Amino acid sequence: MIKVAIVGYGNLGRGVERALQQNADMELVGIYSRRDPSTVHTEGAPAYALAELEQQKGKIDVCILCGGSATDLPVQTPSLTKDFNTIDSFDTHAKIPEHFANVDQAAKENQTVSIISTGWDPGLFSLNRLYAESILPKGETYTFWGKGVSQGHSDALRRINGVADAIQYTIPKNEVIERLKAGETLELTTRDKHLRECFVVLADGAEEAAIKEEIVTMPNYFDEYDTIVHFISAEDLARDHQAMPHGGTVLRTGITHEQTKQVIEYNLQLESNPEFTASVLVAYARACARFAKEEQFGAFTVFDIPPKYLSSVEDATLRKELL
């Protein structure tokens, strides 16, 4: 039985709790939060103060870290990896090399395992880009996200001083997708592929113009996109923007001989982004525990994990039923 702790209990942490209930080889030992445990209303698991986690060293196989990529994970993952095997969903693509290096150093120095940037992008989409580009070396890869709620971008909005609450939708430009699937080869900028739409509740005294300028110029999140910002009431946000859908498409268009065109498409349509991301994290937590048992210490990404390490099914059964 793999003993798992959840660190952080927002939408993603709640999704991990639900996902663990579907995996018979895993046991949730507790949820650790920076909040007062008495205010953390779980779906059955015990809640503890994050400060208590250190006392569980040697008793937990994997910590699944459910904080945000903007400020939480860059600090939490390398710090907690000194004492525990960890999984995170760090999704600031431009900063993954830096994050990997910091976590890898902590893991190797302390003989632990950490698998970073798991989820669906980065994560499953990353794998599909790798497979597609290896199979069709002559071609182009295009990734589209949405329409849906981006947890990382929404979290980044909520971290802005003067923002009381916010949600962000990533919207793909479907006309571009259809042209690519029809066989066109297009040179696309980030701005050509997506629109970002933000719904923001201001804190008392905050100025709309200043907040909007900070949003649309935010590096790594909004500055490279056409971004629409709506300022709405807390009541409107609660009424109209509580669902967490998302999804996306990876397309690889290429040729195998002269003008023989091939298209590889991988698509996700998700009713709950955090619950699906949580399910990916749980599968990679299994791989993390196996790497630790084999004493393969250090930081890893989805590129490094054998697919069978994600499954609780025996190798012979996988070959018989899935191959």
Side-chain angles (χ1 to χ4, degrees):
M1 187 70 69
I2 301 171
K3 297 184 181 298
V4 177
I6 296 173
V7 178
Y9 196 71
N11 291 316
L12 183 57
R14 186 174 296 105
V16 171
E17 183 182 14
R18 293 174 179 175
L20 287 168
Q21 294 169 8
Q22 299 184 14
N23 290 268
D25 62 332
M26 296 188 177
E27 175 188 354
L28 176 56
V29 299
I31 292 165
Y32 292 82
S33 173
R34 289 174 297 196
R35 290 179 280 159
D36 180 343
S38 66
T39 68
V40 179
H41 303 296
T42 74
E43 297 188 354
Y48 305 97
L50 182 57
E52 298 180 66
L53 180 59
E54 187 177 358
Q55 303 169 17
Q56 302 304 310
K57 184 176 180 179
K59 301 177 183 179
I60 293 170
D61 295 312
V62 185
C63 288
I64 300 180
L65 312 186
C66 299
S69 297
T71 58
D72 294 332
L73 297 178
V75 176
Q76 283 187 348
T77 306
S79 176
L80 292 176
T81 299
K82 293 177 182 178
D83 294 318
F84 300 94
N85 304 313
T86 61
I87 296 285
D88 79 17
S89 58
F90 184 80
D91 66 356
T92 307
H93 291 263
K95 295 186 177 181
I96 287 176
E98 175 187 345
H99 184 60
F100 179 91
N102 292 336
V103 177
D104 190 48
Q105 180 178 349
K108 287 178 176 174
E109 288 179 352
N110 295 278
Q111 295 192 324
T112 59
V113 177
S114 183
I115 305 177
I116 69 157
S117 299
T118 58
W120 58 275
D121 199 358
L124 301 184
F125 273 21
S126 311
L127 281 174
N128 279 275
R129 286 189 285 265
L130 174 62
Y131 288 141
E133 291 182 13
S134 301
I135 293 163
L136 296 177
K138 290 189 176 182
E140 296 290 337
T141 301
Y142 307 92
T143 302
F144 296 87
W145 303 283
K147 179 181 180 180
V149 173
S150 168
Q151 296 175 90
H153 285 72
S154 297
D155 179 70
L157 288 175
R158 292 190 288 267
R159 303 275 176 161
I160 296 173
N161 187 29
V163 172
D165 203 354
I167 203 80
Q168 187 266 319
Y169 295 89
T170 303
I171 304 171
K173 297 184 178 179
N174 290 321
E175 66 277 9
V176 176
I177 296 176
E178 293 306 315
R179 289 175 63 188
L180 293 170
K181 290 168 69 173
E184 288 191 51
T185 299
L186 304 175
E187 292 187 10
L188 301 173
T189 66
T190 298
R191 196 176 302 273
D192 292 331
K193 296 189 294 181
H194 296 92
L195 175 72
R196 295 198 179 275
E197 189 168 20
C198 309
F199 293 84
V200 177
V201 179
L202 291 176
D204 291 341
E207 296 183 3
E208 283 190 11
I211 296 297
K212 180 177 180 179
E213 179 65 16
E214 187 167 352
I215 291 171
V216 300
T217 59
M218 186 184 296
N220 301 316
Y221 284 90
F222 298 103
D223 63 334
E224 295 181 346
Y225 298 86
D226 291 329
T227 301
I228 301 171
V229 181
H230 306 278
F231 293 102
I232 63 175
S233 68
E235 293 75 18
D236 287 345
L237 189 74
R239 184 189 65 236
D240 299 331
H241 302 283
Q242 289 305 299
M244 301 286 284
H246 216 330
T249 301
V250 175
L251 284 175
R252 177 70 174 177
T253 62
I255 59 171
T256 48
H257 176 68
E258 295 180 349
Q259 296 303 310
T260 305
K261 296 180 180 179
Q262 317 285 7
V263 177
I264 299 174
E265 179 178 359
Y266 180 76
N267 182 270
L268 292 175
Q269 298 181 40
L270 312 175
E271 287 192 2
S272 173
N273 182 5
E275 288 188 14
F276 185 81
T277 300
S279 296
V280 180
L281 285 167
V282 167
Y284 278 94
R286 181 178 292 113
C288 183
R290 290 177 174 173
F291 267 40
K293 188 174 182 180
E294 295 171 358
E295 299 185 348
Q296 297 191 55
F297 302 127
F300 301 91
T301 73
V302 295
F303 297 145
D304 306 305
I305 310 302
K308 69 178 184 179
Y309 277 39
L310 306 180
S311 176
S312 63
V313 178
E314 293 182 353
D315 292 0
T317 303
L318 291 175
R319 288 190 292 269
K320 179 180 178 182
E321 296 185 354
L322 299 185
L323 195 58

